[in-house]
């Protein structure tokens, strides 16, 4: 890591902190104001990071000096905005304090006058003036420092709440430790996530390149854009895992705020955070360079901003935030739009309803001469204007989203003639059959994989029932039109592996919470029953749309992470209601249910601890521990036998001083190790060129134009491209070829 890289790597954190001050909500009734400020700051920072890559990539300036300049300018702007906000707040507090002191003086000197102007009837002195408050309400309401607030919350929390908070905090700290100690070793990252970043750095731009791995150019690159900043700052991948760790913190903040927006108190919010944080998929992905947690974070940001629009008219800031969240979701993982779409629909319908009632933006109240009424003379025209405003706001959301994701979609469309990429991508993941029997079978298979447990007899019985039922209704359970690639249902998914681990506990709690929110929302959240039911409808709709649009696949559980994040607040609310009724002296059955819930939560905690302790491919203890495994071996924990093979081939090629090196590989082969092993002595990336290409408009390099060839996977595919007379060496998975005399 360069000396300049250390402070620059902290720039995103500093920017979010400054923007959280500048973007603090003004409305005093805003739920969880500080968390909303952080959500806004994250969306602004994420949008800046993405647009910086797009702009500098178009200028072919993907370099450290260019990115350093951009971030320093952004930090300066954020600092100015935060300073102005602090001064404005201080001036506002000063005015309110002065006004309050004036009232106190007048009350002391002319109590009758004060009573005449403030009493129950104008002109009638009050019997006795009420004693003034000890301090100005505006100043008193202003929060103390975060450490003071945290200490107060800890003192006032019960034993159970402290246990919940301590578990969540402990898991986050352990995950941070693993993220810092472990080298990136996710399988997909070796194939296309990290090679994509290296190609951008080597080329200095975002133009597509010839490659045999189409996912390097066709899969949305939103998470990799964030990695690119760290790659340029640190000249390596030492901090790459922190992007997903930060996303994990983000989903917890957003999920707890969603819980509060739906009427949940502190315990309900802690329960939601606990259930989500102890889910093995969340714990494992928080230390990874996978992209699902980043997608879930943007979806959760969209959800919490959209929920604000259920009770008050949205301002331009909320619309911009929704547009940014939508664009960032689409740019990270298009499957997240399955949830963002229903959320935006709910937001739009709520805004139209509020427009008809004449509610002012930001919850200022109904439009009328008397609070709580609507002025009949203005209701018609005002309602029409508000409807037009809602339509314009929806257009603004889409416009912002297009600004964020549009450049990438334009490149894909220009390359493949379709914004969703080549046919092989459009047909491999989306469902190709939509008849009701096929949709039911696909939903059952996805549910079976998501709720898998270590109980093998239960897994077999469930799978046999699904397969038998599918055949009974005339559906092939292995149909390629509803099944990814050549995979076959079922597969075990209970083991804590970052790519496929199931979530039976969190999923079951979320399903129960959703059922209660739909059937009896008033019992879970008496003050937010309508909003709760509407939100539950969106969550269920997103889950159903997911099963109707995406094929079953063995690693499909990670694709559901965004849906689980949205559903967990319902689990927190239901659990809180269950414990609340038991504390109120409910009947024996509810006490038994609460006892079972405590047992489930204890099991959740155990699952989370085991995931960070023994999870794969990054763990604290056992074989492959981050404390006892070397850096190179950690990278190859997925395929230990390949570690020495890559080094052997790279050493042979480096010994020849080869400059231009050809790549021969298949669609799912590992490319990233070559970028690490074949760097120049001064750390510059190697000149790697593909000798195969699946991009019609990007022909591969001529094998005769390279100084050496490195191969992975198929030896016949390698030898078929090696020029005559070259020497070919192969060892298992890896090989190389050198021209005569080298």
């Amino acid at each position: 890591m360069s000396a300049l890289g250390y402070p620059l790597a902290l720039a995103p954190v500093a920017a979010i902190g400054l923007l959280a001050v500048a973007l603090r909500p003004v409305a005093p009734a805003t739920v969880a104001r500080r968390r909303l400020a952080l959500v806004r700051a994250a969306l602004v920072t994420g949008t800046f990071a993405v647009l910086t890559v797009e702009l500098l990539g178009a200028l072919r300036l993907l370099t450290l000096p260019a990115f350093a300049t951009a971030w320093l300018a952004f930090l300066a702007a954020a600092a100015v905005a935060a300073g102005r906000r602090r001064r404005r707040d201080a001036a506002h507090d000063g005015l309110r304090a002065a006004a309050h002191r004036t009232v106190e003086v007048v009350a002391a000197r002319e109590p009758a006058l004060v009573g005449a102007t403030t009493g129950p009837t104008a002109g009638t002195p009050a019997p006795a003036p009420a004693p003034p408050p000890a301090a100005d309400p505006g100043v008193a309401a202003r929060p103390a420092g975060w450490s003071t607030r945290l200490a107060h919350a800890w003192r006032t929390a019960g034993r159970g709440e402290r246990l919940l908070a301590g578990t969540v905090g402990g898991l986050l700290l352990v995950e941070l430790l693993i993220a810092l100690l472990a080298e990136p070793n996710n399988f997909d990252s070796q194939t296309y996530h990290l090679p994509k970043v290296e190609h951008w750095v080597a080329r200095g731009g975002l133009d597509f390149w010839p490659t045999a791995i189409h996912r390097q150019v066709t899969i949305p690159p939103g998470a990799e854009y964030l990695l690119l900043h760290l790659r340029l700052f640190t000249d390596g991948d030492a901090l790459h895992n922190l992007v997903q760790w930060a996303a994990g913190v983000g989903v917890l903040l957003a999920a707890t705020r969603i819980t509060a927006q739906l009427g949940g108190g502190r315990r309900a919010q802690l329960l939601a955070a606990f259930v989500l944080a102890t889910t093995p998929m969340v714990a494992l992905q928080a230390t990874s360079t996978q992209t699902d947690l980043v997608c879930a974070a943007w979806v959760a940001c969209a959800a919490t901003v959209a929920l604000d629009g259920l009770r008050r008219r949205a301002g331009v800031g909320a619309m911009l935030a929704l547009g940014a969240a939508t664009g960032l979701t689409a740019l990270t993982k298009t499957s997240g739009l399955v949830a963002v779409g229903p959320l935006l629909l709910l937001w739009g319908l709520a805004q139209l309803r509020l427009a008809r009632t004449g509610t002012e933006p930001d919850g200022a109240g109904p439009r009328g001469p008397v609070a709580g009424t609507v002025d009949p003379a203005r209701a018609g025209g005002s309602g029409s204007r508000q409807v037009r405003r809602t339509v314009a706001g929806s257009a603004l959301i889409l416009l912002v989203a297009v600004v964020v994701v549009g450049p990438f979609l334009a490149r894909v469309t220009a390359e493949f003639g379709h914004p969703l990429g080549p046919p092989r991508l459009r047909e491999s993941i989306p469902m190709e059959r939509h008849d009701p029997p096929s949709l039911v079978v696909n939903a059952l298979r996805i549910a079976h994989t998501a709720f898998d447990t270590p109980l093998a007899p239960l897994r077999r019985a469930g799978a046999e029932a699904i397969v038998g039922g599918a055949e009974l209704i005339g559906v092939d359970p292995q149909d390629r039109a509803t099944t990814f690639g050549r995979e076959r249902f079922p597969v075990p998914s209970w083991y804590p592996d970052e790519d496929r681990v199931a979530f039976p506990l969190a999923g079951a709690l979320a399903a129960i919470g959703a059922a209660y929110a739909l059937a009896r929302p008033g019992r879970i959240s008496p003050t937010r029953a309508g909003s709760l039911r509407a939100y539950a409808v969106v969550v269920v709709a997103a889950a159903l749309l997911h099963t109707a649009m995406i094929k079953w696949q063995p690693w499909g559980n990670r694709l559901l992470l965004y849906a689980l994040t949205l559903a967990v607040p319902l689990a927190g609310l239901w659990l809180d209601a269950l414990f609340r009724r038991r504390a109120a002296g409910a009947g024996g059955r509810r006490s038994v249910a609460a006892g079972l819930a405590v047992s489930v939560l204890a099991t959740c905690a155990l699952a989370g601890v085991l995931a960070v302790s023994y999870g794969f491919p990054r763990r604290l203890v056992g074989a492959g521990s981050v404390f006892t495994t070397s850096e190179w071996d950690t990278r190859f924990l997925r395929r230990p036998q390949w570690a020495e093979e890559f080094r052997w081939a790279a050493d042979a090629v480096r010994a020849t001083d080869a400059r231009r090196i050809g790549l021969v590989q298949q669609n799912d082969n590992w490319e990233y190790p070559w970028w690490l092993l074949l760097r120049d002595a001064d750390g510059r990336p190697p000149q790697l060129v593909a000798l195969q290409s699946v991009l019609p408009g990007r022909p591969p390099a001529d094998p005769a134009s390279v100084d050496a060839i490195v191969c992975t996977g198929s030896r016949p595919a390698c030898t078929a491209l090696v020029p005559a007379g070259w020497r070919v060496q192969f060892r298992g998975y890896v090989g190389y070829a050198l021209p005569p005399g080298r």
Side-chain angles (χ1 to χ4, degrees), residues 79-154:
V80 169
R84 287 181 176 177
R85 177 60 186 270
R86 285 184 178 277
R87 288 193 295 272
R88 186 165 65 249
D89 288 347
H92 177 71
D93 291 344
L95 289 174
R96 295 191 66 177
H100 180 69
R101 286 193 295 270
T102 301
V103 172
E104 287 182 329
V105 171
V106 173
R109 294 180 177 177
E110 303 288 345
L113 177 61
V114 175
T117 57
T118 62
T121 304
T124 303
D136 171 49
V139 177
R142 188 160 303 284
W146 66 269
S147 58
T148 303
R149 296 194 303 270
L150 185 62
H152 174 73
W154 186 261

Side-chain angles (χ1 to χ4, degrees), residues 112-201:
L113 177 61
V114 175
T117 57
T118 62
T121 304
T124 303
D136 171 49
V139 177
R142 188 160 303 284
W146 66 269
S147 58
T148 303
R149 296 194 303 270
L150 185 62
H152 174 73
W154 186 261
R155 286 195 304 270
T156 58
R159 183 180 302 175
E161 292 176 342
R162 292 182 180 182
L163 184 60
L164 293 172
T167 303
V168 173
L171 284 173
L172 287 176
L173 290 176
V174 172
E175 290 160 9
L176 176 60
L177 176 65
I178 296 175
L180 290 171
L181 293 179
E183 286 70 30
N185 59 1
N186 172 261
F187 193 103
D188 285 347
S189 296
Q190 305 279 11
T191 300
Y192 68 95
H193 290 311
L194 300 187
K196 186 185 302 187
V197 176
E198 295 300 325
H199 277 287
W200 293 333
V201 173

Side-chain angles (χ1 to χ4, degrees), residues 388-426:
R388 290 196 297 271
R389 184 176 181 275
T390 300
V391 173
S394 301
L396 178 61
I397 292 171
L398 295 178
L399 177 62
V400 173
V402 169
V403 169
V404 174
V405 73
F408 169 71
L409 293 181
R411 289 194 298 273
V412 173
T413 303
E415 191 72 33
F416 301 104
H418 196 286
L420 298 182
R424 65 185 301 176
L425 177 63
R426 302 197 304 270

Side-chain angles (χ1 to χ4, degrees), residues 178-463:
I178 296 175
L180 290 171
L181 293 179
E183 286 70 30
N185 59 1
N186 172 261
F187 193 103
D188 285 347
S189 296
Q190 305 279 11
T191 300
Y192 68 95
H193 290 311
L194 300 187
K196 186 185 302 187
V197 176
E198 295 300 325
H199 277 287
W200 293 333
V201 173
R203 301 170 67 85
L206 300 175
D207 292 339
F208 291 163
W209 54 90
T211 178
I213 304 173
H214 76 87
R215 291 176 293 174
Q216 291 183 358
V217 296
T218 58
I219 298 293
E224 291 89 340
Y225 278 2
L226 304 182
L227 291 176
L228 175 61
H229 293 263
L230 294 179
R231 167 66 177 83
L232 291 172
F233 292 162
T234 64
D235 196 30
D237 58 17
L239 301 182
H240 278 9
N241 292 331
L242 293 185
V243 171
Q244 283 258 111
W245 182 83
V249 175
V251 298
L252 293 177
L253 291 175
T256 56
R257 184 170 190 266
I258 290 171
T259 307
Q261 289 172 288
L262 297 175
R266 182 169 62 186
R267 183 174 60 185
Q269 297 171 48
L270 286 173
L271 284 166
F274 178 86
V275 172
L276 191 58
T278 56
T279 301
M281 179 65 75
V282 175
L284 291 169
Q285 288 233 0
T287 63
S288 171
T289 47
Q290 197 48 279
T291 62
D292 305 282
L293 208 48
V294 177
C295 174
W298 298 134
V299 172
C301 288
T304 191
V305 175
L307 280 177
D308 282 336
L310 300 190
R311 300 181 62 84
R312 66 172 184 265
R313 293 287 294 154
V316 175
M319 298 172 188
L320 293 174
L322 280 174
T326 302
L328 290 169
T329 300
L331 189 63
T332 303
K333 221 173 186 68
T334 52
S335 57
L337 295 177
V338 172
V340 173
L343 285 167
L344 292 179
L345 178 61
L346 175 65
W347 177 88
L349 293 175
Q351 290 294 292
L352 290 174
R353 177 181 60 83
L354 293 173
R356 287 197 300 270
T357 62
T359 304
E360 290 281 4
D362 297 322
R367 304 175 66 94
V370 180
T373 68
V374 179
D375 187 354
R378 302 175 58 189
S382 175
S384 301
R385 286 194 298 272
Q386 292 299 328
V387 169
R388 290 196 297 271
R389 184 176 181 275
T390 300
V391 173
S394 301
L396 178 61
I397 292 171
L398 295 178
L399 177 62
V400 173
V402 169
V403 169
V404 174
V405 73
F408 169 71
L409 293 181
R411 289 194 298 273
V412 173
T413 303
E415 191 72 33
F416 301 104
H418 196 286
L420 298 182
R424 65 185 301 176
L425 177 63
R426 302 197 304 270
E427 297 169 0
S428 61
I429 297 177
M431 286 278 286
E432 298 177 81
R433 289 185 58 177
H434 296 91
D435 55 288
S438 295
L439 296 180
V440 170
V441 172
N442 193 56
L444 291 174
R445 292 184 304 170
I446 290 175
H448 180 274
T449 305
F451 287 86
D452 190 22
T453 70
L455 303 175
L458 182 61
R459 180 189 314 119
R460 285 194 299 269

Side-chain angles (χ1 to χ4, degrees), residues 510-524:
I512 295 173
Y516 268 87
L518 290 172
R520 297 180 176 179
R523 290 196 174 186
I524 298 178

